[in-house]
């Protein structure tokens, strides 16, 4: 008498569950990193990056320059990166790859331009020339602040979001998916199924991840576990 093999469905579903958690984790990290990185860059470029002293006829005059005075590239690239982060969910396939690459390149450009601006005194010299009336007015006692490196750190976060979008973006949901399914004709049973699916929140959608973060929940957890905890 031989014993029948006992099926183990859990082992079959574990890889797919792990992959789903990985996709949700990559999406949550990319959203947080991209939004935080763009905010850091925009904040840093509005702050003072360098200061010095210009020689004038009456003696000396302090001059300062913020990030936008020294280079407008980091702030502009932060806006481009933020737009690309949103556009990732509005496109599919090749379009998503292109937008994700743009996001990564925006972050890399911010890092490079911020690092170059951390020791640039051309904006201070230009201000000194306007004050003194001389074409090439020297600037003395130049000091730099840490804000350029804050902008560079924001660029690194945007670069990370772009790399995650390139690696995992093909598995992320798209904003237009439900509108495409709504226009497909089908049987009454399918229509009821679609209406039921529309009322059930999709944990993989970006807005649901933001809602979970606002509630203090971990969006990388399995949905069934979160529902069981809320029911308890």
């Amino acid at each position: 008498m031989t014993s029948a093999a006992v099926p183990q469905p859990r082992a079959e579903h574990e890889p797919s569950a792990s992959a789903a958690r990985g996709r949700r984790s990559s999406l949550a990290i990319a959203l947080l990193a991209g939004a935080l990185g763009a905010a850091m860059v925009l904040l840093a470029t509005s702050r003072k990056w360098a200061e010095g002293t210009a020689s004038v006829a009456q003696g000396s005059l302090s001059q300062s320059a913020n990030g936008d005075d020294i280079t407008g590239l980091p702030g502009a690239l932060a806006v481009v990166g933020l737009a690309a982060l949103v556009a990732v969910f509005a496109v599919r396939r090749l379009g998503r790859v292109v937008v994700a690459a743009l996001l990564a390149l925006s972050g890399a450009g911010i890092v490079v331009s911020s690092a170059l601006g951390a020791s640039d005194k051309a904006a201070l010299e230009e201000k000194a020339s306007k004050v003194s009336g001389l074409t090439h007015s020297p600037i003395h006692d130049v000091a730099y602040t840490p804000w350029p490196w804050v902008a560079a750190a924001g660029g690194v976060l945007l670069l990370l979001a772009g790399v995650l979008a390139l690696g995992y973006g093909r598995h992320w949901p798209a904003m237009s998916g439900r509108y495409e399914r709504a226009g497909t004709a089908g049987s009454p049973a399918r229509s009821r199924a679609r209406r039921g699916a529309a009322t059930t929140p999709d944990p993989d959608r970006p807005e649901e991840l933001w809602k979970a973060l606002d509630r203090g929940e971990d969006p990388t957890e399995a949905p069934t576990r979160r529902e069981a905890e809320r029911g308890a």
Side-chain angles (χ1 to χ4, degrees):
M1 184 175 182
T2 58
S3 58
V6 179
Q8 297 181 356
R10 278 188 172 180
E12 297 176 359
H13 292 292
E14 279 179 1
S16 60
S18 176
R21 284 195 298 270
R23 290 194 292 267
R24 286 195 295 269
S25 298
S26 65
L27 176 55
I29 293 172
L31 286 172
L32 289 174
L36 179 60
M40 287 173 61
V41 175
L42 293 174
L43 174 65
T45 53
S46 66
R47 296 297 190 267
K48 182 168 62 178
W49 283 24
E51 58 185 352
T53 304
S55 300
V56 294
Q58 295 81 9
S60 60
L61 187 63
S62 298
Q63 297 292 317
S64 63
N66 59 26
D68 289 327
D69 294 331
I70 293 176
T71 172
L73 192 57
L77 288 176
V79 175
V80 172
L82 192 59
L85 180 64
V86 176
V88 164
F89 304 101
V91 294
R92 295 175 183 269
R93 298 183 180 87
L94 181 59
R96 179 165 290 187
V97 174
V98 172
V99 173
L102 178 61
L103 175 58
L105 289 175
S106 298
I110 290 171
V111 173
V112 173
S113 58
S114 298
L116 293 176
S119 58
D120 191 347
K121 61 179 182 179
L124 287 175
E125 292 175 346
E126 183 179 354
K127 287 189 173 185
S129 298
K130 291 180 180 179
V131 171
S132 63
L134 302 176
T135 305
H136 300 287
S137 180
I139 191 80
H140 306 285
D141 302 325
V142 179
Y144 300 96
T145 70
W147 285 110
W149 303 111
V150 175
V156 171
L157 290 177
L158 281 168
L159 176 59
L160 172 62
V163 171
L164 288 174
L166 284 170
Y168 299 93
R170 63 184 181 276
H171 302 297
W172 293 350
M175 290 180 179
S176 59
R178 60 179 180 179
Y179 299 107
E180 292 175 1
R181 290 193 298 268
T184 305
S187 63
R190 288 184 179 179
S191 300
R192 287 194 297 271
R194 285 197 297 268
R195 286 196 297 271
T199 58
T200 304
D202 185 357
D204 287 336
R205 294 190 65 79
E207 56 267 27
E208 295 300 330
L209 285 171
W210 284 117
K211 291 177 182 178
L213 291 171
D214 289 338
R215 292 194 298 267
E217 298 175 354
D218 183 1
T220 64
E221 287 185 341
T224 54
R225 180 178 174 184
R226 295 199 300 269
E227 292 172 1
E229 291 176 354
R230 285 199 296 268

